[in-house]
Amino acid sequence: MHPHPVLVSAQWQVELDEAIRRNDDVGMWDVVARQPDQEEAQEAMATLVSRLAFRVDNRPRFSEMFLMPVIAPAGSELIGNASNWKSASFAVSEALDRWLPTKAFKTVFNGIRPFDWVGTWRPAVLRSHLYRTMPGNAQAKITTVAEDIDYPPEAPRLGFVCMVLTSDRGWPALPDPSTTSDKRLQDVVGYALHHVEDADMPTVLTPDRVQFSITDGVCRWLRELDQSVKVLGWSVSPVASSADVIKVSLRLDSPTVSLTQFTLRKHQIGLRGVDEILQMLMTLAPVMDIARDGGLPAKRSAERS
């Protein structure tokens, strides 16, 4: 479990928050680029993007996005399966109610969002999810560029249960770590989502703030991927047209999908998150110049939430 960092009300953070509210990605990165400590600046950006303060009947409300990583075993239709989610949603919601602080108000979104989608979320997309939970605020669907990660048949898949917590007493907080209650939540959610009797159980991690849950989920998924389909090598390539996007390519020991690629966004996980994922990759395989050896995942415009 990761604590909330204490953000200083500095002028640059006010400018950053205003750029986020305008959906001005260029302005966001311009503010961040002017800061001497890039690690702290990007950590602050990841925090501000996933939070929203507003008023209802002149009373303050504080909302923040939280994610619960779910790693589906190979061959499972768990992620993106609407009927399976419908049958499991009540148990998942009830388990979260028992785990969360008693005064937390939660909004859990339908379905398990694939990492393929979450990794492509721009700041405006993440903010749109927060706005959807505001009373009386109608949000139109945002068209975004979506990528499908290529998975070998024997590979696990990563997804996230997305929820917004709202409080009238400051930013929402998660419960203190507890081996017993954390395991109970993971077990209940895992059993609720387990829809094929002879299949392996999904791996469920406890919910956390966006930058930590994505980082933890990707690291755990990479470890399970390496156990199922050996990772032979990897490379990382920043995208020249964006200060935000990083492409990670994996060489896999698979006759069906020998090369795959996924997206990391620094506004989601910050430099610390990127570093943790790279550290995990270094424990699995050597660095290889493999991005040019195969085709890139297909891109398409899609209305995905």
Side-chain angles (χ1 to χ4, degrees), residues 47-84:
T47 297
L48 289 172
V49 169
S50 61
R51 288 176 166 180
L52 182 66
F54 57 95
R55 287 183 172 273
V56 176
D57 296 330
N58 208 32
R59 299 179 62 183
R61 295 289 187 274
F62 304 88
S63 293
E64 183 167 357
M65 172 75 78
F66 292 85
L67 305 177
M68 180 164 60
V70 176
I71 302 171
S76 169
E77 296 182 357
L78 173 64
I79 296 176
N81 187 310
S83 61
N84 183 62

Side-chain angles (χ1 to χ4, degrees), residues 14 47 128 133 135 160 228 239 258-259 265 305:
V14 174
T47 297
S128 73
T133 64
F160 297 91
S228 302
V239 174
S258 61
L259 179 68
R265 283 187 173 264
S305 57

